[in-house]
Amino acid sequence: MSNLEVAKLFRDVAAAFTIKNEYKYKFQILAYQKAADSIEHSSTELKTLYEQGKLEKIPGIGPTIEKRLIELFKTGKVKHFEQAFEGISPAVFPLLDIPSFGPKKANKLVTHFKLNNPKTIIEDVRKLATEGKIAKLEGFGEKSQADILRAIEEYKTGTTKTNRMTLPYAFSLAQEVIAYLKKHKDISKAETLGSLRRMNSTIGDVDIAVTTKHPESVLDYFVAFPAKERIIERGPTTASLLIGGGKHVDLLVLPPQQFGSLLQHFTGSKHHNVALREYSLKKHMSLSERGIKLLDKKGSPLVEFDTEEKFYKYLGMDWIPPEIRENQGEIEAAIKHQLPDLIELKDIKGDLHIHTNYSWNSSHDYGSASMEDMIKRAKELKYEYIGLSDHNPSISNQTKSEIYSVLSRRKEKIEQLKKSNKNIRVINMLELDILTLGGVAIDDKGLELVDAVIVSIHSSFSTNKDDMTKRVLKGLSHPKTKILAHPTGRLLNSRAGYSLDWEKLFDFCVKNNKALEINAWPERLDLTDALVKQAKEAGVKFVINTDSHAVSHMDNMFYGVSVARRGWAEKKDILNTLPAKSFVEWIST
DNA sequence: GCCGTTTTCGGCCCGACTGTTTTCAGTCG
């Protein structure tokens, strides 16, 4: 059973408790939802933790839920859950996947119309709505019947929440909306919030905050946004639009004196906010997007904040960078004034994963720009060094001596470039395939013709964890291999990546002075933020690379730096912040 | 059912919006 399946089961359990008695089970419901959230966000499979007897390492899993999970993995079911589901039609649960359906609404429809088939339930409800039967039910009406119909249509056509957006897509959508908003004369400030401000690897909704003295007219203007599909909601301080492709854009409007708490609240994450509020409650302060209520002094006015810095300071803590607001220890660190000094884009002094159009019967794709053009861009970016790391020449249709000869010709060209570019260090590198049977695609004699290599997996993704780990460690063992590129192999929204024994890999990297790449390509963002944090704690060093195949790709460095920041990485953790001399020393020894 | 920088008992985030009501229930983030 995968983490997502367990999380869904827990949410169904919470829904079942909600239907049975929301008040009696209030805190069990909360506990199962919290556990589901945390299981979804876990970077380790629960099954693995179960096998290692480490289930209690997941926050939100205590002794009782641990017992239930052990029963689940042992027998495939949980007695206690079956009791919880007793008397509730299984047809309720598929409905919960449709936005606007919660446990109460779903159960009311299912019981009243005696619907019991989970396979046909969505079609059954759609039919009832079409026939006008739902409007007659108490608590429903014509409007909600129409809403149900539309929600089902949007769900079936995939208009709602299918794929999450990649960062560049979300940024350009946000920029488009902000550019539109800025045309309104009463808007003084507009900023993106939510997961986009936290630089999450994928974005669900785009949240934009605006401060103005004329909220009415701003909201009117916003909901008239030309590219909208429809208005989802519109109140006095917020509005939400559905944009083509099933994306939401939410606007939040508050007066300038409350802008600080507004930013804080809608930047999230939800887990960060809940933890922050629980902490503050113990200090008798109640937090919201409008400010802070002091619970000790009755009738005292709301304390307002125009900046986020003042808001956090009032709570007795340092301002927390948005990227690490995930309730992963940042609140405790902010109280103790021990927040990490996160790496910044300006710290980066070189890019080592650069593909060019150098043509030589390659094993994989070429870049579109010349070595000269990529070097020129690196200089514009004020880099001190650049690694030219084309894919290794194909080994399937060239003899060894042919390979030595092409490598040597490329070396000559790069030596020329080194000489003609005195103010940047050009490093002769390769991105080298780790073969299916371990080992790398080019032998020792060939590797003498390059300064250093990046290794990566480009084949046999389904290899099991133990074999894949052996394969990767063997690939990293050669003295010339310094960096493991895109270590998980994932592609956002399309490929999960392969399995690796991360603890083993981290340990190997620390002992053998190898680095893990943080690949800045927006569909990769690989390592993941969670693994960066774990690796950093194990003492692993990183290199942030763009994996550029065109000049413009070199600007993606920003996304890689964001992943590093989300993983709590500091300048000292990232090797390509080193000055040229020290970096070249590391990579060539 | 979880959890601990005033707690191993006694707490558990907070408000927005919609639709169906005429003061509230449900859902969402």
Side-chain angles (χ1 to χ4, degrees), chain A residues 96-355:
Chain A
L96 302 180
D97 293 336
I98 302 173
S100 83
F101 277 91
K104 302 287 192 65
K105 207 198 267 184
N107 190 55
K108 200 162 180 185
L109 289 174
V110 164
T111 45
H112 183 269
F113 293 106
K114 300 191 171 53
L115 307 170
N116 285 311
N117 189 344
K119 291 213 171 79
T120 60
I121 179 66
I122 292 171
E123 184 51 31
D124 293 343
V125 171
R126 197 192 64 81
K127 193 153 170 278
L128 287 166
T130 313
E131 291 163 356
K133 289 182 180 161
I134 291 178
K136 298 193 183 84
L137 196 58
E138 198 199 330
F140 292 80
E142 290 294 339
K143 190 83 177 51
S144 59
Q145 177 172 271
D147 286 346
I148 285 173
L149 216 46
R150 188 185 49 212
I152 291 178
E153 284 310 316
E154 288 179 353
Y155 175 74
K156 279 170 52 176
T157 56
T159 311
T160 40
K161 312 251 172 167
T162 43
N163 275 351
R164 291 169 61 86
M165 292 173 264
T166 58
L167 281 168
Y169 186 103
F171 265 115
S172 71
L173 175 56
Q175 284 317 312
E176 193 188 333
V177 178
I178 286 177
Y180 171 77
L181 288 172
K182 289 235 161 120
K183 287 186 203 150
H184 192 287
K185 61 178 169 42
D186 295 328
I187 293 176
S188 41
K189 255 194 259 177
E191 290 191 34
T192 55
L193 306 183
S195 52
L196 190 51
R197 183 165 182 237
R198 299 198 315 279
M199 296 298 290
N200 219 336
S201 57
T202 59
I203 309 298
D205 303 329
V206 167
D207 296 313
I208 293 171
V210 152
T211 175
T212 178
K213 285 172 185 151
H214 307 279
E216 269 300 309
S217 100
V218 166
L219 284 160
D220 282 343
Y221 179 70
F222 173 67
V223 299
F225 183 60
K228 71 167 187 294
E229 211 136 276
R230 68 176 172 90
I231 301 167
I232 296 169
E233 61 183 33
R234 199 270 196 217
T237 59
T238 72
S240 181
L241 301 179
L242 183 68
I243 304 287
K247 312 303 177 198
H248 291 194
V249 179
D250 300 336
L251 186 74
L252 316 141
V253 184
L254 278 184
Q257 69 272 19
Q258 295 182 339
F259 201 59
S261 50
L262 174 72
L263 285 181
Q264 197 288 319
H265 175 78
F266 282 101
T267 296
S269 67
K270 184 184 165 194
H271 296 99
H272 174 83
N273 284 355
V274 169
L276 198 64
R277 287 167 184 204
E278 281 177 355
Y279 169 80
S280 304
L281 262 188
K282 287 167 194 160
K283 309 249 177 211
H284 309 284
M285 293 183 277
S286 171
L287 316 183
S288 80
E289 59 266 51
R290 295 185 172 273
I292 298 179
K293 267 187 241 165
L294 302 179
L295 302 176
D296 283 342
K297 300 176 199 158
K298 274 186 190 157
S300 71
L302 187 73
V303 189
E304 296 177 318
F305 303 88
D306 58 350
T307 71
E308 244 185 4
E309 284 78 0
K310 290 179 191 163
F311 184 89
Y312 279 104
K313 191 168 178 207
Y314 195 87
L315 299 175
M317 52 185 86
D318 295 336
W319 177 82
I320 302 173
E323 293 94 330
I324 60 169
R325 296 184 195 169
E326 299 288 346
N327 192 28
Q328 297 280 329
E330 73 280 6
I331 295 172
E332 295 78 357
I335 295 166
K336 289 192 240 162
H337 308 295
Q338 287 175 358
L339 283 168
D341 184 11
L342 300 180
I343 181 188
E344 293 176 46
L345 181 59
K346 66 174 171 55
D347 297 328
I348 298 291
K349 296 203 169 66
D351 193 342
L352 291 308
H353 195 156
I354 302 285
H355 295 273

Side-chain angles (χ1 to χ4, degrees), chain A residues 519-562:
Chain A
N519 188 296
W521 186 251
E523 275 83 27
R524 287 192 184 269
L525 301 183
D526 181 4
L527 279 187
T528 66
D529 44 20
L531 282 169
V532 170
K533 189 155 191 267
Q534 282 176 36
K536 179 199 150 99
E537 281 159 12
V540 175
K541 302 290 183 203
F542 310 91
V543 172
I544 308 176
N545 287 330
T546 58
D547 202 348
S548 285
H549 287 67
V551 173
S552 65
H553 296 168
M554 290 178 76
D555 293 331
N556 286 336
M557 185 57 81
F558 162 68
Y559 298 115
V561 169
S562 300

Side-chain angles (χ1 to χ4, degrees), chain A residues 22-82:
Chain A
E22 193 182 358
Y23 303 100
K24 181 175 165 192
Y25 298 115
K26 187 170 175 189
F27 298 110
Q28 280 90 335
I29 293 166
L30 223 60
Y32 278 102
Q33 283 167 342
K34 256 191 182 168
D37 283 346
S38 123
I39 289 167
E40 258 173 12
H41 286 108
S42 164
S43 59
T44 326
E45 279 297 314
L46 231 45
K47 186 85 188 291
T48 311
L49 292 173
Y50 156 73
E51 283 156 3
Q52 299 171 338
K54 289 181 183 165
L55 281 172
E56 87 285 356
K57 294 238 162 161
I58 303 258
I61 294 184
T64 308
I65 292 187
E66 185 186 7
K67 245 193 318 196
R68 311 255 193 261
L69 281 171
I70 291 171
E71 188 183 341
L72 181 69
F73 285 120
K74 255 190 195 147
T75 68
K77 52 187 181 181
V78 181
K79 246 197 179 139
H80 181 258
F81 292 171
E82 287 178 1

